[in-house]
Amino acid sequence: MRYHIVTLGCAKNVADSERIERVLGAGAHVAVAAPQHADVVIVNTCGFIDASKEESVDTIVGLAVAKKAGQRLVVAGCLTALHGEELRAEVPEIDAVFGAEDWAGIGAYARAVEPLRLDAQRYELPESAAIPLVRAPRPSAYLKISDGCNAPCTFCIIPRMKGKLHSAPAEELIAEARRLAAEGVREIVLVAQDSTDYGRDLGLRDGLPELLERLSAAVPEVPWIRLMYAYPGHVTRRLAGTMAALPNVAHYIDIPLQHASEAVLRRMKRPSNTRLVREMFAMLREAMPDIALRTTFIVGYPGETEREFEELLAFVRELAFDHVGCFTFSPQSESPAAREPAQVPERVKKRRQRALMEVAQQVSTIRNRAFVGREIDVLVESSDAARATIDGAPDGRGFVVGRSYRDAPEVDGLVLLEGEYAAGEFVRARVTRALAYDLIAAPVAAPVPAR
Ligand code: SF4
């Protein structure tokens, strides 16, 4: 059977799609690059906010319209938990719906679909045009350590869609990390809804530090194990000490804070004691003076006043994060926050987003400038010439695109590295120039020709 997966949403969904691919690969099914060449098209949906729900529905409808005779359209992922039946009723071209994480169900379905290839041939699906998808070796991969969440954030319905926290057994994660390392992956990015709660459901008190220790020992050849999606109340001294001590855990952490006004955080039902949040960052910087800190904020949460927004701006200046993401509040209609009466007008949200990103950019520029003249290791992401579109960068010729330990894939900055290198190479380089979000660097040793 030939299949094509369309992945919507965040890095956690990317990890889920890879899991589906592994299940289908084990059944000797083949991925193809385009939906029109597939016997089964799978849409891995996202339902985090109304806008992502709409994107998922639009994608499903588009594929339903283009559906070939004999082809199967399958919907999986977050959106199906609450809206599976509705989707089926509204889009009759959908052949099957699977709840989030129903890997076995998808595998069984694929096995049953196999005889349909005869029909597919009868309907003249273009066999010659079915191009098996050959994946390029990748420098970096996601490893989802748990799913679900126990937090009560008022703007989020992940706990309703994905259920309570459920952690993957460490043995399973170690086996997967080893498989990725054997594939040549040089960076493993740990993702979850709340990575710092890992193992609580398994009865572990220090689940994440223990997992990091085991992963670090299991794949010493992977230079960076990176931690995303930490929860402010769950970052412990033990975790910071473990990160500092392990040679291949990147000194980097992503802790989405969502806001910095205690009143807004209380309304969001998030950890609201900003003194503790400051202490947590101080503790992380004490354990790892070179740690890169990433966070994300929501502006325009219902009832957010100018004063509360100003508190947030001041906090961003004070904490000097390396990377800040900022979203305008976008309701998820089934979440309590969507029903709050004091919704903030869109234009106010946009203005606040611009203002916050200006401050974040000033801070990021200062942090980046501190690296000029310093040596860093650069993981080459793409052997293609660097994109010339990066503001203030050279014209892109003679550079490749990489990242330092300070930059997570897809969401943070880049390092433009002089020379020609293959994706996946680690290159020691000296930073020659700082841009607002990115760095420019030259190799310390003579460039090795790309293979
Ligand atoms: S911690 Fe994250 S996933 Fe959990 S409820 Fe809050 S926003 Fe949603």
Side-chain angles (χ1 to χ4, degrees):
M1 182 276 281
R2 296 159 300 189
Y3 69 90
H4 177 82
I5 303 183
V6 178
T7 305
L8 301 162
C10 62
K12 288 153 272 189
N13 247 20
V14 173
D16 284 350
S17 287
E18 289 184 5
R19 178 81 182 254
I20 295 171
E21 288 197 355
R22 285 202 298 285
V23 168
L24 296 179
H29 305 294
V30 179
V32 291
Q36 65 269 29
H37 303 150
D39 299 308
V40 177
V41 179
I42 302 166
V43 186
N44 189 7
T45 57
C46 173
F48 185 57
I49 52 174
D50 286 352
S52 36
K53 257 168 46 182
E54 268 167 41
E55 188 192 10
S56 293
V57 171
D58 288 351
T59 305
I60 295 165
V61 170
L63 289 164
V65 170
K67 193 178 170 190
K68 304 258 179 206
Q71 194 174 50
R72 296 292 174 117
L73 179 57
V74 170
V75 179
C78 299
L79 193 57
T80 62
L82 299 178
H83 298 287
E85 286 315 308
E86 223 175 289
L87 282 169
R88 268 192 107 129
E90 284 179 19
V91 188
E93 291 85 354
I94 295 174
D95 295 287
V97 171
F98 293 96
E101 303 176 84
D102 187 2
W103 329 118
I106 295 174
Y109 182 82
R111 281 195 295 281
V113 162
E114 200 132 28
L116 285 177
R117 284 199 66 183
L118 296 174
D119 287 351
Q121 282 163 2
R122 183 155 58 85
Y123 288 113
E124 295 178 348
L125 271 180
E127 188 80 45
S128 60
I131 309 153
L133 188 60
V134 180
R135 297 207 183 282
R138 51 193 175 154
S140 173
Y142 295 110
L143 180 62
K144 196 171 82 172
I145 60 174
S146 67
D147 210 334
C149 181
N150 295 346
C153 309
T154 51
F155 51 85
C156 178
I157 61 158
I158 292 282
R160 279 182 64 199
M161 292 193 295
K162 296 286 190 90
K164 292 265 178 210
L165 168 78
H166 43 283
S167 306
E171 292 67 30
E172 208 176 274
L173 295 170
I174 287 166
E176 179 58 10
R178 287 202 172 113
R179 193 187 64 76
L180 292 170
E183 250 183 37
V185 163
R186 312 303 314 279
E187 174 187 32
I188 294 179
V189 183
L190 305 188
V191 295
Q193 307 298 345
D194 169 5
S195 57
T196 39
D197 215 14
Y198 175 80
R200 190 182 301 264
D201 55 316
L202 305 175
L204 303 172
R205 189 154 164 255
D206 285 310
L208 183 60
E210 285 165 15
L211 178 68
L212 285 175
E213 280 163 3
R214 293 184 66 183
L215 284 173
S216 166
V219 288
E221 69 275 41
V222 173
W224 291 342
I225 297 172
R226 185 185 296 282
L227 188 57
M228 305 293 288
Y229 305 114
Y231 187 79
H234 296 157
V235 177
T236 60
R237 201 166 277 284
R238 165 85 198 271
L239 175 64
T242 304
M243 290 175 69
L246 296 173
N248 55 347
V249 171
H251 288 183
Y252 173 102
I253 193 165
D254 161 54
I255 311 176
L257 291 175
Q258 314 301 6
H259 214 281
S261 148
E262 295 198 347
V264 176
L265 287 165
R266 271 195 296 276
R267 295 204 294 278
M268 289 177 162
K269 294 205 174 152
R270 300 270 308 171
S272 61
N273 185 334
T274 50
R275 179 181 58 78
L276 293 180
V277 172
R278 286 180 172 87
E279 284 173 11
M280 170 189 72
F281 285 118
M283 181 262 292
L284 285 164
R285 281 180 163 147
E286 190 189 330
M288 292 166 281
D290 60 345
I291 192 169
L293 301 174
R294 172 183 175 78
T295 190
T296 44
F297 295 110
I298 296 172
V299 292
Y301 184 80
E304 184 193 58
T305 62
E306 277 304 320
R307 196 160 157 210
E308 288 164 345
F309 175 65
E310 288 296 330
E311 279 179 58
L312 172 57
L313 282 187
F315 184 84
V316 172
R317 279 194 199 95
E318 175 197 334
L319 270 287
F321 298 100
D322 295 82
H323 305 291
V324 171
C326 175
F327 303 95
T328 55
F329 172 73
S330 177
Q332 207 303 346
S333 43
E334 283 123 317
S335 70
R339 294 190 290 276
E340 289 284 330
Q343 297 289 328
V344 175
E346 273 315 306
R347 64 184 163 71
V348 176
K349 292 183 197 172
K350 291 273 176 227
R351 172 171 56 74
R352 290 179 184 169
Q353 185 186 37
R354 277 196 303 277
L356 189 132
M357 286 318 291
E358 266 169 36
V359 170
Q361 187 173 349
Q362 288 160 11
V363 173
S364 159
T365 306
I366 294 168
R367 307 269 313 157
N368 272 359
R369 280 190 189 140
F371 276 80
V372 174
R374 281 162 66 175
E375 286 187 17
I376 51 172
D377 289 322
V378 180
L379 173 59
V380 179
E381 273 209 316
S382 161
S383 55
D384 298 340
R387 284 164 288 163
T389 48
I390 296 171
D391 281 352
D395 66 5
R397 273 174 307 187
F399 286 80
V400 293
V401 174
R403 287 181 289 106
S404 76
Y405 78 94
R406 300 175 64 234
D407 312 305
E410 297 176 43
V411 289
D412 294 333
L414 298 170
V415 179
L416 303 186
L417 178 68
E418 264 179 49
E420 288 181 26
Y421 295 94
E425 276 192 75
F426 264 92
V427 181
R428 189 80 185 153
R430 189 179 307 282
V431 178
T432 54
R433 207 176 132 199
L435 308 175
Y437 298 114
D438 307 312
L439 295 174
I440 299 180
V444 171
V448 180
R451 285 181 290 276

